[in-house]
Each structure stands twice: as C-alpha cells, then as structure tokens.
C-alpha cells in the first residue's frame, strides 16, 4: 500500500510533493462527484418517468466506479500519490463530523462502544488464534489477522507489524485479507441490516464494531442511512482508540517469546500508537457542545465532512485491487473470513442486546 | 523517530503524520466556517 506522502521524508521538496498529489485528488473528486451525480440523475429520471428505480446511494456508486477503474485499466502511476490521500480525507471528515455530536452523547455511546469493543476484542483474538493454529498459519500472521479483524484493519496491522517485528510478507497477506473482507462486508452488512430491520443507531453501532477498516465501516454505515453513518463512525473511532493497548499486549507477548524487542516505555508506546484524529473529533464535538457554532455553521461543517467522505469512498474503490488479492493465496482469507463471521454475529448479538437493555 | 540511520545520519523527523495533518486541516476549516469566511457549504 502506498502511504500518503505529505509528511514523508524524501528528497523532493514540499511544493513538488504537494503538486504530485493533485492528479490523484482530482480523480477522487471526479469519481466521488460522478457517484453523487449518478444518484441524483437516476432518482430524477425515475421521478420524471414515474419509474420505481432502486435508490442506490452515491456511496455505492463512488465505490463501484473506483472498483471498476482499479480492476480494469488500473490506476496509472501519476494518480497514485493523490489517491493514497483518501485516508487523510477520511480522518479530516471524522474530525469534522464531531460537530454533529454532543459531547455527552459521544461519552455515552463511546462508552457503550468501548464496552462492546472489549468483549469483541477478547472473542476475536481468542478465536483467530485457534483458527490460525488449525489452519497452520505462521503465528505472527495470525497475530496480525487477529489485530486487523478485531480493531481497525490496515492501520492496526501496520502498527502491530513494527511492534511485533513481523515480516513484510505476513503484513501484506494480512492487509490483503482484511481489505478483501472489508470490501465484502461493506456490501453485505447493509443487506443484513435491512433484512433484520435494524434501527439506524443499532446498525451504525454494529457496522462500526464489526466492519474492518475505518473507511469501509464509514461507507457501510452511510449506505444504510445518514444517521447510521454517523454512529458507525463513532463506534469505529472508539474501536480505533484501543489500538495501542492491543498492539502493546501483542508486543509484550512476542517479546516474552524472545521474538520481538522489549517495550521500554509503555506510556510513550501507547501515545505513539494512539490515533490522534480521535482527539480532533473530541475537540470539535466539545466546541459544538459549548455552543461555539450557530446552526447554519454546524450544517456547513457537517456538509464539509460529507464532501471529505465522498473522496474517501472513491479511494476505497480505487485501492481495492481484486487481482492483487487473488494472488495472495486462500488460507489467510479463510481464517480472516471465519473470524469475521464470528465477530459479526457476536457484535450483532451484543448490539441488539444493548439496544434492548439501554436503548441506543 | 530520531534514531540514527545505518549510515550515521539522523533520520528525518516525521512532523505531523496523516492524523496530525487531518486534524489541523479540519480545525482550520472549522475556524474559517466559524468566522464566516467560508460561504455556507452545501451538500
């Protein structure tokens, strides 16, 4: 996976690096906007001709257009640096989305999410370890898959790879498996949610807890409804916040096996692995709760957040290269997929239980 | 991040990372909206 290069050290000067990002960003804008236009035009066409066309969200169009491009003509090199900025738009969008949450709600739902995350983590990690052994995967690959499926996909795997000194091959296998599974869940979850008649809050929480990768979880929520998208982001953000603890746990385990460096300063380690955008999200939510923004300003910020997510969804499609994933072999996928199904079923039970108990 | 590279040169320091840039940009946008310097953004 190419990293977002704005802050990467390199020989190129900053203006040149920013210039390199422009073609890819324009591609994200074009695909995202095309998705939005397609949704609007189809619904206008349906209305004008009194046709009952299925209402397909811009989220799905943007992802599909990206997928088609990535898997037919491929993404030419000139666009790649800019396309990799999708993660930046995702995080900026999440921070801006903070404006739609009162801090009290964040603490309440974030707290519920964290409690559910703790259960989910324990189950996912235990189950993945058993599966990894049954399928004779390399132990560190199993650790990476467990981290990826229990917390947050790619960024968790990258954080864990460094900490447990896993090799690049294991990391790319785990990333490919998690990305493929994320792509599948993104389409499956909304279908299951509608089938079960889940309410927006419950579905959002479920998607945030069970779909891997923040971008895919956000997209799955947004596909369901605007409100579900908002709650998916909150639950996923709470899940992301636990990344440092889990990675630290694995680092300590592998160090005790003599297969990784010891972690000297645990507080510094936790801070280093903590996703800092969570703080930005809390800060904006705090400002909104303090009444700093007027109603129309809140609406503008929420719209800015939607525009940022639009670029993210285009990027999700563009970076999903199914051909590349097929090359990686079936076993990591099977282990990942089985783990994923268990996580999805358990979190669904937890969310329905929590909804019945405390009313989400 | 300040570790020396094998050649003995200090590795370049990572300034903000994606998270930092994203938070900074979002806060700047929020400040612009708050100061009514960005016209209402429509969706």
């Amino acid at each position: 996976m190419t990293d977002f290069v704005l802050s990467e050290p390199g020989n190129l000067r900053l203006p040149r690096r920013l210039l390199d990002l422009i073609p890819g960003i324009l591609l994200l804008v074009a695909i995202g906007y095309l998705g939005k236009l397609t949704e609007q035009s189809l619904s206008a066409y349906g209305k004008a001709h009194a046709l009952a066309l299925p209402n397909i969200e811009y989220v799905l169009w943007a992802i599909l257009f990206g997928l088609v491009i990535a898997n037919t003509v491929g993404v030419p090199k000139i666009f790649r640096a800019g396309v990799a900025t999708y993660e930046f738009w995702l995080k900026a969008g999440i921070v801006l989305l903070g404006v739609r949450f009162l801090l009290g709600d964040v603490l309440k739902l974030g707290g519920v999410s964290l409690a559910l995350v703790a259960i989910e983590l324990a189950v996912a990690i235990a189950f993945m370890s058993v599966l990894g052994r049954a399928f004779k995967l390399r132990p560190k690959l199993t650790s990476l898959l467990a981290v990826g499926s229990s917390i947050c996909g790619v960024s968790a795997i990258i954080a864990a790879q460094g900490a447990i000194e896993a090799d690049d091959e294991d990391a790319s296998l785990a990333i490919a498996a998690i990305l493929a599974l994320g792509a599948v869940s993104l389409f499956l979850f909304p279908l299951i949610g509608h089938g079960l008649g889940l309410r927006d809050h419950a579905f959002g929480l479920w998607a945030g807890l069970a779909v891997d990768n923040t971008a895919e979880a956000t997209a799955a929520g947004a596909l369901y409804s605007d409100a579900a998208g908002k709650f998916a982001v909150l639950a996923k953000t709470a899940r992301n916040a636990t990344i440092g603890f889990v990675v630290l746990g694995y680092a300590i385990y592998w160090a005790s096996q003599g297969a990784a460096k010891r972690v000297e300063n645990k507080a510094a380690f936790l801070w280093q692995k903590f996703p800092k955008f969570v703080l930005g999200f809390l800060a904006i939510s705090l400002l909104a709760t303090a009444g700093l923004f007027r109603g129309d300003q809140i609406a503008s910020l929420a719209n800015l957040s939607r525009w940022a997510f639009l670029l993210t969804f285009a990027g999700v499609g563009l970076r999903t290269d199914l051909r590349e994933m097929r090359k990686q072999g079936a076993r990591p996928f099977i282990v990942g997929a089985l783990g994923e199904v268990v996580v999805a079923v358990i979190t669904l039970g937890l969310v329905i239980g929590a909804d019945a108990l405390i009313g989400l | 991040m300040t570790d020396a590279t094998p050649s003995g040169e200090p590795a370049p320091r990572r300034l903000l990372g994606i998270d930092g840039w994203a938070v900074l940009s979002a806060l700047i946008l929020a400040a612009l909206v708050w100061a009514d310097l960005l016209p209402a953004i429509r969706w």
Side-chain angles (χ1 to χ4, degrees):
Chain A
M1 204 178 93
T2 9
D3 265 329
F4 174 37
V5 291
L6 193 60
S7 62
E8 286 293 318
N11 298 327
L12 296 175
R13 289 172 168 282
L14 189 64
R16 175 64 207 281
R17 270 186 273 148
L18 286 176
L19 217 60
D20 284 347
L21 299 178
I22 292 173
I25 295 176
L26 289 179
L27 183 65
L28 293 180
V29 173
I31 292 179
Y33 198 64
L34 191 66
K36 195 161 148 43
L37 276 184
T38 311
E39 181 194 358
Q40 286 170 346
S41 333
L42 269 185
S43 109
Y45 182 86
K47 265 189 205 136
H49 296 79
L51 289 173
L53 294 177
N55 179 29
I56 302 179
E57 290 270 345
Y58 66 92
V59 183
L60 194 57
W61 287 120
I63 293 172
L64 283 179
F65 292 149
L67 263 176
V68 168
I69 292 176
N71 293 282
T72 51
V73 288
V75 181
K77 197 162 178 277
I78 184 171
F79 295 111
R80 286 192 196 147
V83 167
T85 60
Y86 80 92
E87 207 184 330
F88 167 79
W89 305 108
L90 172 65
K91 288 173 175 175
I94 293 178
V95 173
L96 290 168
L97 189 70
V99 82
R100 289 179 65 201
F101 285 100
L102 292 172
L103 200 61
D105 291 344
V106 172
L107 297 180
K108 181 191 159 202
L109 274 163
V112 172
S113 306
L114 278 178
L116 300 185
V117 166
I119 304 174
E120 182 221 338
L121 280 176
V123 173
I125 289 171
F127 191 74
M128 286 303 230
S129 311
V130 173
L131 272 182
R133 232 170 277 154
F135 279 77
K136 299 194 170 59
L137 295 186
R138 287 185 295 276
K140 282 189 178 174
L141 173 58
T142 308
S143 293
L144 292 178
L145 279 173
V147 170
S149 64
S150 57
I151 318 175
C152 90
V154 178
S155 34
I157 293 173
I158 292 171
Q161 185 201 0
I164 70 174
E165 296 173 18
D167 33 344
D168 283 348
E169 196 199 335
D170 280 353
S172 64
L173 275 174
I175 287 173
I178 293 298
L179 279 179
L181 294 165
V184 174
S185 341
L186 156 67
F187 297 109
L188 269 184
F189 271 59
L191 292 177
I192 300 173
H194 283 300
L196 294 173
L198 289 183
R199 293 189 308 129
D200 291 336
H201 286 192
F203 179 82
L205 198 53
W206 182 42
L209 289 177
V211 176
D212 290 334
N213 256 341
T214 314
E216 274 82 354
T218 309
L223 266 175
Y224 201 72
S225 72
D226 195 48
K230 193 177 127 174
F231 285 93
V233 168
L234 180 60
K236 189 69 185 71
T237 304
R239 191 168 153 210
N240 288 344
T242 63
I243 186 172
F245 298 95
V246 178
V247 172
L248 178 63
Y250 269 109
I252 291 172
Y253 169 76
W254 282 109
S256 77
Q257 305 289 307
K261 258 207 302 285
R262 267 173 52 104
V263 179
E264 299 296 342
N265 185 343
K266 295 190 177 58
F269 182 93
L270 283 177
W271 171 245
Q272 193 205 342
K273 302 290 178 195
F274 186 79
K276 316 290 185 301
F277 72 90
V278 175
L279 300 178
F281 173 85
L282 290 174
I284 294 268
S285 165
L286 177 69
L287 293 176
T289 310
L292 197 73
F293 301 108
R294 290 190 315 265
D296 60 318
Q297 292 171 335
I298 290 185
S300 288
L301 287 172
N303 285 340
L304 260 176
S305 153
R306 289 193 183 98
W307 284 110
F309 286 146
L310 189 62
L311 303 195
T312 309
F313 299 144
V316 166
L318 282 173
R319 64 94 196 262
T320 306
D321 187 340
L322 302 170
R323 290 168 297 188
E324 192 56 40
M325 288 175 183
R326 264 206 299 273
K327 283 189 211 149
Q328 309 276 357
R331 276 185 305 153
F333 285 97
I334 297 173
V335 172
L338 288 173
E340 221 46 40
V341 171
V342 170
V343 167
V345 171
I346 290 173
T347 46
L348 180 62
L350 287 173
V351 166
I352 292 175
D355 194 19
L357 270 178
I358 55 170
L360 294 172
Chain B
M1 284 296 139
T2 47
D3 293 350
T5 52
S7 61
E9 292 167 28
R13 192 182 272 271
R14 202 181 238 272
L15 266 180
L16 285 171
I18 303 174
D19 277 24
W21 285 111
V23 172
L24 191 64
S25 318
L27 289 176
I28 291 172
L29 283 171
L32 291 174
V33 170
W34 175 73
D36 290 326
L37 289 174
L38 286 185
I41 295 134
R42 288 180 306 147
W43 170 243

